């Protein structure tokens, strides 16, 4: 609730009360990798960088920016003949970059035999994340999906033998094999598969293009098509896929855009 109040007072200070403009409240951290939730008058059309955003019947919408997003973005609100264009500023972040030398090549490049499998895995994940639904759950307050120490953060990157690897886009939570994974928000299961890199992988749609991905699981407690409730036990932590130890890797996507789970509005990070 506090964040909404803050967003409202910020809005009051920057909007001109003399002009009739579509009203909007925005909630989020406004830094690279963050998800932003918005509330406007029902019937208002919303565009992010010129692209139309789905808006719920009660005026809610959501969008996000990636790890290396530029600082400035445009949000346009159109209500009948009234238009408001807002420039949004997103803070740049410093990511943890680790240089590791002397890594055996087999750990740097996957063997040829699995190239096709990896391609198919990526296509399945991509397709699941294309899902566009009007499930309203992304507008609820999220919960942490597992209990444990945060052992890896969004945006960090390793450079093996001078070659930069893909950045890490998840929030890693260290927990033993078999520890419960709960749904951070309600949703519908889009994918439950054993993938080469991420092992047993579960993707859940929370609506409006936002999905959670859970990786390296040891067991699924739900199946594709199931509706899940926030807090429901959906899986068990594991060490499946290409990992060195048991942990949960939780990711948040806005379609193909990878966002930082730790920056979800309202999420309380355990100490
Ligand atoms: Zn991870």
């Amino acid at each position: 609730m506090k964040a909404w109040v803050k967003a409202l007072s910020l809005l009051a200070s920057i909007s001109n009360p003399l002009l009739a403009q579509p009203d909007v409240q925005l909630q989020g951290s406004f830094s690279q990798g963050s998800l932003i939730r918005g509330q406007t008058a029902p019937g208002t059309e919303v565009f992010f960088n010129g692209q139309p955003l789905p808006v719920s019947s009660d005026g809610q919408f959501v969008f996000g920016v990636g790890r290396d997003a530029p600082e400035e973005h445009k949000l346009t609100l159109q209500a009948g003949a009234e238009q408001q264009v807002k420039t949004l500023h997103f803070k740049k972040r410093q990511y943890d970059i680790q240089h590791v030398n002397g890594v055996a090549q087999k750990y740097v490049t996957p063997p040829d035999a699995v190239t096709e499998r990896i391609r198919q895995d990526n296509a399945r994940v991509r397709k699941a994340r294309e899902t566009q639904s009007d499930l309203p759950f992304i507008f609820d307050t999220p919960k942490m999906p597992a209990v444990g120490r945060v052992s890896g953060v969004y945006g960090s990157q390793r450079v093996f033998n001078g070659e930069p690897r893909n950045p890490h886009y998840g929030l890693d939570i260290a927990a033993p094999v078999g520890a419960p994974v709960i749904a951070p928000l309600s949703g519908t299961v889009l994918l439950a598969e054993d993938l080469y890199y991420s092992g047993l992988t579960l993707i859940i749609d929370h609506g409006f293009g936002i999905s959670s991905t859970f990786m390296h699981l040891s067991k699924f407690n739900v199946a594709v098509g199931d509706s899940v409730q926030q807090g429901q036990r959906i899986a068990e932590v594991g060490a499946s896929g290409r990992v060195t130890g048991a942990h949960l890797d939780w990711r948040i996507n806005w379609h193909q855009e990878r966002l930082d789970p730790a920056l979800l509005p309202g999420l309380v990070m355990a100490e």
Side-chain angles (χ1 to χ4, degrees), residues 152 168 170-172 215-216 247-251:
H168 184 254
L171 179 69
D172 287 341
M215 300 175 169
H216 313 305
H247 71 281
L248 175 67
D249 185 326
W250 175 34
R251 305 193 172 201

Side-chain angles (χ1 to χ4, degrees), residues 7-25:
L8 270 168
S9 56
L10 178 73
L11 180 77
S13 66
I14 55 175
S15 64
N16 184 341
L18 298 176
L19 291 175
Q21 289 180 327
D23 202 12
V24 65
Q25 296 148 35

Side-chain angles (χ1 to χ4, degrees), residues 51 169 237:
Q51 297 298 310
Y169 290 102
V237 172

Side-chain angles (χ1 to χ4, degrees), residues 196-214:
Y196 178 76
Y197 279 117
S198 53
L200 293 190
T201 304
L202 194 60
I203 301 183
I204 294 183
D205 175 27
H206 304 305
F208 289 75
I210 307 294
S211 62
S212 275
T213 304
F214 307 92

